[in-house]
Amino acid sequence: MPSGEKLREMLDRTVSRIIQSYNRHGGINHIKGPSLPAQGEIIETLESLVSIIFPGFFDTSDINPANLKYHVGTKCEAVYQQLVDQINKCFRYFCKNESRCRPERLRCAVRSDKSCLAKAREIARALLTELPELRKILYTDVHASYRGDPAAKSLDEIILSYPGLAAIAVYRIAHILWAKKVPLLPRIMTEYAHSRTGIDIHPGATIGEYFMIDHGTGVVIGETTKIGKHVRIYQGVTLGALSIPHHVEQYRWKKRHPTIEDNVTIYSGATILGGKTVIGRGAVIGGNVWITRSVPANTQIIFEPPAFAMKRKKREAAPTKEGV
Amino acid sequence: MPSGEKLREMLDRTVSRIIQSYNRHGGINHIKGPSLPAQGEIIETLESLVSIIFPGFFDTSDINPANLKYHVGTKCEAVYQQLVDQINKCFRYFCKNESRCRPERLRCAVRSDKSCLAKAREIARALLTELPELRKILYTDVHASYRGDPAAKSLDEIILSYPGLAAIAVYRIAHILWAKKVPLLPRIMTEYAHSRTGIDIHPGATIGEYFMIDHGTGVVIGETTKIGKHVRIYQGVTLGALSIPHHVEQYRWKKRHPTIEDNVTIYSGATILGGKTVIGRGAVIGGNVWITRSVPANTQIIFEPPAFAMKRKKREAAPTKEGV
Amino acid sequence: MPSGEKLREMLDRTVSRIIQSYNRHGGINHIKGPSLPAQGEIIETLESLVSIIFPGFFDTSDINPANLKYHVGTKCEAVYQQLVDQINKCFRYFCKNESRCRPERLRCAVRSDKSCLAKAREIARALLTELPELRKILYTDVHASYRGDPAAKSLDEIILSYPGLAAIAVYRIAHILWAKKVPLLPRIMTEYAHSRTGIDIHPGATIGEYFMIDHGTGVVIGETTKIGKHVRIYQGVTLGALSIPHHVEQYRWKKRHPTIEDNVTIYSGATILGGKTVIGRGAVIGGNVWITRSVPANTQIIFEPPAFAMKRKKREAAPTKEGV
């Protein structure tokens, strides 16, 4: 066992070698420059926003008409300050650290910190101002889940416990920030929802009202996906891109993901790929269907299960193929 | 940048507009009436119950024969109070807020708060009383995982780290409350497990002893599923419903999900659908199999993989279809 | 309603019955003997390690060249102490409680606590010493994700938000401890990552540099999988075992999972099974492909989607099969 002395020496050696490696492997350090937004703060902000949108569902303290204005006011003020802080961090990071900075994507790229902060305030205000609109569309999403899921016993159950709604709410918040060209933050938000729900919606996707995702684990909705109104999606559905070549630069800003028109239902495990693939309004895509071409409106795509052998089991037969 | 004055005005305007929207979009607010159970408390209660069921595995303080009685006693008392509080909140919420309240489902619908509280105490007591029984059946589940998974090195490893067991434990607790017709709480519990494990077991499902789920991400077990003893399920298995019509009311209380008899094994990615579908005892369902009709006892369903083209790759060929 | 008296009696009865059940159902209690490592501590240690590996990304306090040495030093010292404590707990647990203890796997099985502690210190030191090497390989993983994902806007976005990278980082840490035959701890670490990301990588797998997992939900990589360099994997991919017989003992230490050679890409939902299955270098496995035999180098396996019926929808037709 090393004496305190030996331990100290060992630690000193290790620390020096780690710090040397910081210099050796750049691009995965963030030592100089403005600090990045911290995930903990972002989650807190998201949860405050959701509790403003659905008052009384996620509050530990009772809310009543008497304390409502005070309650919401306090929350909004806190959220505003948090948003300004985080958005500003993202802009400053982007301006200073982003070698590949694209002026066409982020106008403030050449501005001073001051204007980053001004822009952050502007966007935080805009997000708060859009909350009533956001409530309106999430209201339609809650109703879509209630109508679409026989297991749902009440609207409250959906708000309190449905992962699909949780992921959609975070996506809709993140998408507003994405549309305002805030770097990093929108993706950190949707990846937090992904972690909690298994539903991976890129903040760049555009999604209409009355959207429902049931169960949701394994759902992937890519960056350039376009989804209309009254669309229903079940667990394990991928709305993805076709093959990715080994040099992806020219693909980074292209439409790579499908377009889903109004009133489409896509059942579990279906895969729909390609930026030119359009699923026409009212179409129904069966479970496990694999689609890389467009589907006309009001058609049903019914999966024909591949043949399977059915045979009498021998005593203690080794079971069939599986995936453990 | 707005002065403090301007900021204050902006916030006041925003808050008023948000509160107006609370009146506009009802059904997604919970401003009046009794407060709902808070997810944080529910998770705490669940974790205490699990640490009572598996003593010494999730306790930060050492447990030994000397302090055991005191240790368990303290935990049980805390859990009892938490359960009474949460169940009571659920009943009061249900009695007062549930427009679609069904007397046949919840007898206390017309009672006073007092009897909600009395009923909550009765159910909390009943749950604690069932803990030894619950331990007995979870003991069989732990053994099923050990026997079924060559990667398992000990029973302790399963209790400490297997998501399948964690999801089953939460389901078995939630199912007891479901059977006693507690609203909201059971589903909030299983959705917490879903969030942690990717395994979505509805508290309404009935599942026999020696149940094993391996890996588990993407597993969905619907509300009216019936599962016998010694059943094994792998990741991505769906035990689901057939098509959902657009008016679901008449489906809300029907059996929509399959029946799985004793000693059945269902390998990864298999989908079994429909309330009349019965998988006979001892059957083995291969990976990725898609089933919507019953399967006789002791048969193997072997997936015949669909044909695939195998071709020599051109230099830097774009890879084949995929789902990003 | 029971008086405090009645409540007390009820609790006492319940507690006694629970404690009796502890004696009845052994193997799922951990009452005597050394305490097990607590998941909370393990997560804290993991997060400290990750923040040492990626400085400035997950730190709440600013890091700058001036405080860097102090910052890293403090973290390393804390991590060292935590690792020693947890590894020691795992060894002591294993020595004392592991009836199936295998001397060939863990040399200290017959030693005293003291040598368990000595071994724990040795391994904790070794892990810290390997951190620069670990940074070097994770650096390649970050770059692989950037090159492979058109949606990635910067390296920082990947470190801050990509679940694939998070799961790989935890796996690489856990694998070091696994290789040093630390019981329990590696698996608890990777199951924590599994819970956060839906990506289930067994710490026993061996994985080369430039490894990328995109989206990742539902990925399963089994204990004896071997993966080369520059391999890309997408959501829902299983690298698994063939059938598991009902007596698994003889399988516990065998190679049951496939070998994936360098520069292989495996698209979403593909399943590759069997310890003798080898995917040759440069091969591309298409989405949803099901493989149980080896694939030659530089071949593409293209999934031929099963036929599907396309028919005009009747008004308000019940949608096709699905999995809810």
Side-chain angles (χ1 to χ4, degrees):
Chain A
M1 151 196 172
S3 73
E5 199 42 56
K6 282 221 202 86
L7 173 58
R8 165 66 33 223
E9 275 170 28
M10 181 277 287
L11 283 170
D12 288 347
R13 264 198 318 281
T14 312
V15 171
S16 324
R17 292 182 52 258
I18 290 169
I19 289 175
Q20 285 160 28
S21 87
Y22 288 162
N23 308 326
R24 223 169 16 249
H25 307 293
I28 58 170
N29 314 329
H30 188 75
I31 294 167
K32 297 194 200 63
S35 66
L36 295 165
Q39 211 209 21
E41 297 164 12
I42 293 170
I43 293 169
E44 203 184 294
T45 311
L46 269 175
E47 286 172 349
S48 305
L49 281 164
V50 170
S51 74
I52 293 170
I53 291 168
F54 298 117
F57 285 91
F58 304 101
D59 301 280
T60 43
S61 61
D62 272 24
I63 306 185
N64 53 57
N67 67 12
L68 185 60
K69 197 179 162 73
Y70 169 77
H71 180 87
V72 178
T74 318
K75 280 213 162 137
C76 284
E77 184 155 7
V79 164
Y80 172 79
Q81 298 299 356
Q82 291 168 332
L83 283 169
V84 169
D85 178 44
Q86 290 155 24
I87 298 170
N88 184 40
K89 278 178 177 168
C90 291
F91 279 138
R92 291 183 58 207
Y93 149 80
F94 196 80
C95 300
K96 295 239 182 82
N97 297 42
E98 184 54 75
S99 57
R100 298 171 31 266
C101 183
R102 285 186 190 62
E104 77 279 7
R105 291 208 69 241
L106 189 66
R107 292 291 162 355
C108 79
V110 293
R111 292 187 192 166
S112 70
D113 284 8
K114 189 145 177 315
S115 71
C116 283
L117 180 59
K119 198 169 171 54
R121 287 185 173 132
E122 180 191 315
I123 291 170
R125 272 200 307 280
L127 180 61
L128 286 182
T129 314
E130 288 190 38
L131 282 182
E133 193 47 39
L134 200 55
R135 268 179 55 76
K136 193 170 154 190
I137 187 163
L138 281 165
Y139 174 85
T140 70
D141 299 325
V142 173
H143 277 268
S145 278
Y146 184 67
R147 286 183 214 152
D149 178 10
K153 303 295 180 273
S154 68
L155 298 178
D156 307 281
E157 182 185 354
I158 291 161
I159 296 169
L160 283 168
S161 68
Y162 274 39
L165 186 75
I168 293 167
V170 170
Y171 153 77
R172 295 208 184 274
I173 293 166
H175 181 68
I176 292 173
L177 298 173
W178 172 271
K180 297 180 187 306
K181 300 187 164 46
V182 178
L184 294 177
L185 196 52
R187 187 65 184 269
I188 294 173
M189 287 177 164
T190 54
E191 282 298 345
Y192 164 66
H194 183 193
S195 171
R196 267 189 57 204
T197 65
I199 299 168
D200 181 356
I201 310 178
H202 195 289
T206 54
I207 302 179
E209 58 186 25
Y210 290 96
F211 185 50
M212 163 184 138
I213 300 175
D214 200 5
H215 306 299
T217 308
V219 165
V220 173
I221 299 176
E223 180 184 6
T224 63
T225 308
K226 298 207 174 312
I227 296 178
K229 302 174 179 182
H230 295 281
V231 169
R232 292 179 177 182
I233 285 181
Y234 292 90
Q235 69 273 20
V237 166
T238 290
L239 306 179
L242 285 163
S243 60
I244 304 301
H246 271 256
H247 307 94
V248 298
E249 282 316 320
Q250 69 273 36
Y251 283 72
R252 274 197 210 284
W253 306 106
K254 287 242 182 74
K255 184 168 196 306
R256 311 178 302 278
H257 307 94
T259 296
I260 313 297
E261 295 185 347
D262 298 348
N263 298 96
V264 168
T265 299
I266 307 171
Y267 286 122
S268 64
T271 302
I272 302 175
L273 306 177
K276 293 182 179 124
T277 305
V278 177
I279 307 301
R281 57 181 301 129
V284 175
I285 309 302
N288 283 16
V289 168
W290 176 276
I291 289 175
T292 55
R293 271 183 262 88
S294 293
V295 169
N298 301 309
T299 46
Q300 277 184 51
I301 305 298
I302 299 175
F303 177 70
E304 305 279 349
F308 53 69
M310 192 190 279
K311 56 176 179 182
R312 189 125 194 97
K313 236 172 69 194
K314 286 173 265 46
R315 247 187 93 285
E316 182 53 2
T320 148
K321 302 189 191 66
E322 61 104 340
V324 180
Chain B
M1 153 197 174
S3 74
E5 199 41 58
K6 281 221 203 86
L7 173 57
R8 166 67 33 225
E9 277 170 27
M10 180 277 288
L11 282 170
D12 289 347
R13 266 197 317 282
T14 312
V15 171
S16 324
R17 292 182 51 256
I18 290 169
I19 289 175
Q20 284 160 29
S21 87
Y22 288 163
N23 308 326
R24 229 176 3 258
H25 307 292
I28 59 171
N29 314 328
H30 188 75
I31 294 165
K32 299 195 201 63
S35 67
L36 296 165
Q39 210 209 21
E41 297 165 12
I42 293 170
I43 293 170
E44 203 184 293
T45 310
L46 269 175
E47 286 173 349
S48 304
L49 280 164
V50 170
S51 75
I52 293 170
I53 291 168
F54 299 117
F57 285 92
F58 304 101
D59 301 280
T60 45
S61 61
D62 273 25
I63 305 185
N64 53 58
N67 67 12
L68 185 60
K69 197 179 163 74
Y70 169 77
H71 180 89
V72 178
T74 317
K75 280 213 162 135
C76 283
E77 183 153 9
V79 164
Y80 172 79
Q81 298 300 354
Q82 292 169 332
L83 282 170
V84 169
D85 178 45
Q86 291 155 21
I87 298 170
N88 184 40
K89 278 178 176 168
C90 291
F91 279 136
R92 291 183 58 207
Y93 149 80
F94 197 81
C95 299
K96 294 239 181 82
N97 297 43
E98 183 55 73
S99 56
R100 299 171 29 269
C101 183
R102 287 188 188 59
E104 78 278 10
R105 293 207 69 239
L106 189 66
R107 292 292 162 350
C108 79
V110 293
R111 291 185 194 167
S112 70
D113 284 8
K114 190 145 179 314
S115 72
C116 283
L117 180 59
K119 197 170 173 53
R121 287 184 172 132
E122 179 192 315
I123 292 171
R125 275 200 306 280
L127 180 60
L128 285 183
T129 314
E130 288 191 39
L131 282 182
E133 193 47 40
L134 200 55
R135 269 179 55 77
K136 193 169 156 191
I137 186 161
L138 280 165
Y139 174 86
T140 70
D141 299 325
V142 173
H143 277 268
S145 278
Y146 184 67
R147 287 185 214 149
D149 178 10
K153 303 294 179 277
S154 67
L155 297 178
D156 307 279
E157 182 185 352
I158 291 161
I159 296 168
L160 283 168
S161 69
Y162 274 39
L165 186 75
I168 293 167
V170 170
Y171 153 77
R172 295 207 185 275
I173 292 167
H175 182 68
I176 293 174
L177 298 174
W178 172 271
K180 297 180 187 307
K181 300 190 166 42
V182 179
L184 295 177
L185 197 52
R187 186 66 183 267
I188 295 173
M189 288 178 163
T190 53
E191 282 298 346
Y192 164 66
H194 183 193
S195 170
R196 267 190 56 205
T197 65
I199 299 168
D200 181 356
I201 310 178
H202 195 289
T206 55
I207 302 179
E209 59 186 26
Y210 290 96
F211 184 50
M212 162 184 139
I213 301 175
D214 200 4
H215 306 298
T217 308
V219 165
V220 172
I221 299 176
E223 180 182 7
T224 63
T225 308
K226 299 207 174 311
I227 297 178
K229 301 174 179 182
H230 296 280
V231 169
R232 291 179 178 182
I233 285 180
Y234 292 90
Q235 69 272 19
V237 166
T238 290
L239 306 179
L242 284 163
S243 61
I244 303 301
H246 271 257
H247 307 94
V248 299
E249 283 315 321
Q250 68 274 35
Y251 283 71
R252 275 197 210 284
W253 306 105
K254 289 241 182 76
K255 184 167 195 307
R256 309 178 303 277
H257 306 95
T259 296
I260 314 297
E261 295 185 347
D262 298 349
N263 298 97
V264 168
T265 299
I266 307 172
Y267 286 121
S268 65
T271 303
I272 302 175
L273 306 176
K276 292 179 179 130
T277 305
V278 178
I279 307 301
R281 57 179 304 128
V284 175
I285 309 301
N288 283 16
V289 169
W290 176 275
I291 288 175
T292 56
R293 271 181 264 87
S294 293
V295 169
N298 300 310
T299 46
Q300 277 183 50
I301 305 297
I302 298 174
F303 176 70
E304 304 280 348
F308 53 69
M310 192 190 279
K311 57 177 178 181
R312 189 125 194 96
K313 234 172 68 192
K314 284 172 267 51
R315 244 188 95 284
E316 183 53 2
T320 148
K321 301 189 192 68
E322 59 104 343
V324 181
Chain C
M1 154 195 171
S3 74
E5 198 42 58
K6 282 221 201 87
L7 174 58
R8 165 68 32 227
E9 277 170 24
M10 180 278 288
L11 282 170
D12 288 347
R13 267 198 316 281
T14 312
V15 170
S16 325
R17 295 181 51 255
I18 291 170
I19 289 175
Q20 284 160 28
S21 87
Y22 289 162
N23 308 325
R24 223 166 20 247
H25 307 293
I28 59 171
N29 315 329
H30 188 76
I31 294 166
K32 297 195 202 63
S35 67
L36 296 165
Q39 210 208 21
E41 296 164 13
I42 293 169
I43 293 170
E44 202 184 296
T45 311
L46 269 175
E47 286 173 348
S48 304
L49 281 164
V50 170
S51 75
I52 293 170
I53 291 168
F54 299 117
F57 285 92
F58 304 101
D59 301 280
T60 45
S61 61
D62 272 24
I63 305 184
N64 53 57
N67 67 13
L68 185 60
K69 198 181 162 75
Y70 169 78
H71 179 88
V72 178
T74 317
K75 280 212 162 138
C76 284
E77 183 153 8
V79 164
Y80 172 79
Q81 298 300 354
Q82 291 168 333
L83 281 169
V84 169
D85 177 45
Q86 291 154 22
I87 298 170
N88 184 39
K89 278 177 176 170
C90 291
F91 279 137
R92 291 183 57 208
Y93 150 80
F94 197 81
C95 300
K96 294 240 182 83
N97 297 42
E98 184 53 79
S99 56
R100 300 169 31 266
C101 183
R102 288 187 185 60
E104 79 279 9
R105 291 206 71 238
L106 189 65
R107 293 291 164 352
C108 79
V110 294
R111 293 185 192 168
S112 69
D113 284 6
K114 189 143 178 318
S115 73
C116 283
L117 179 59
K119 197 169 172 55
R121 287 185 171 132
E122 180 193 313
I123 291 170
R125 273 200 307 280
L127 180 61
L128 285 182
T129 314
E130 288 190 38
L131 283 182
E133 193 47 42
L134 201 55
R135 269 179 55 77
K136 192 169 154 188
I137 186 160
L138 281 164
Y139 174 84
T140 70
D141 300 324
V142 173
H143 277 268
S145 277
Y146 184 68
R147 286 183 215 151
D149 179 10
K153 304 294 180 275
S154 68
L155 298 178
D156 307 279
E157 182 185 352
I158 290 159
I159 296 168
L160 283 168
S161 69
Y162 275 38
L165 186 75
I168 293 167
V170 170
Y171 153 77
R172 295 208 185 274
I173 293 166
H175 181 67
I176 292 173
L177 298 174
W178 171 272
K180 296 180 188 308
K181 299 187 166 45
V182 178
L184 295 177
L185 196 53
R187 187 66 184 266
I188 295 173
M189 288 177 162
T190 54
E191 282 298 346
Y192 164 66
H194 182 193
S195 170
R196 266 189 58 203
T197 65
I199 300 168
D200 180 355
I201 311 178
H202 194 289
T206 54
I207 302 179
E209 60 186 24
Y210 290 96
F211 185 49
M212 163 185 138
I213 301 175
D214 201 4
H215 307 298
T217 308
V219 165
V220 173
I221 300 176
E223 180 183 7
T224 62
T225 308
K226 297 209 175 310
I227 296 178
K229 301 174 179 182
H230 296 279
V231 170
R232 291 179 178 182
I233 285 181
Y234 292 89
Q235 69 272 21
V237 165
T238 290
L239 306 179
L242 284 163
S243 61
I244 304 301
H246 271 255
H247 307 94
V248 298
E249 282 315 320
Q250 69 273 35
Y251 283 72
R252 274 197 211 281
W253 306 105
K254 288 241 181 75
K255 184 166 195 308
R256 310 178 302 278
H257 307 93
T259 296
I260 314 297
E261 295 185 347
D262 297 349
N263 298 96
V264 168
T265 299
I266 307 171
Y267 286 122
S268 64
T271 302
I272 302 174
L273 307 176
K276 291 179 180 128
T277 304
V278 178
I279 307 301
R281 58 178 303 128
V284 175
I285 308 302
N288 282 15
V289 168
W290 175 276
I291 288 175
T292 55
R293 272 182 262 87
S294 292
V295 169
N298 300 311
T299 45
Q300 277 183 49
I301 305 298
I302 298 175
F303 176 69
E304 303 281 349
F308 54 68
M310 191 191 281
K311 58 176 173 181
R312 189 128 193 95
K313 234 174 69 193
K314 285 172 265 51
R315 245 186 97 284
E316 182 53 1
T320 148
K321 301 190 193 66
E322 60 106 342
V324 180

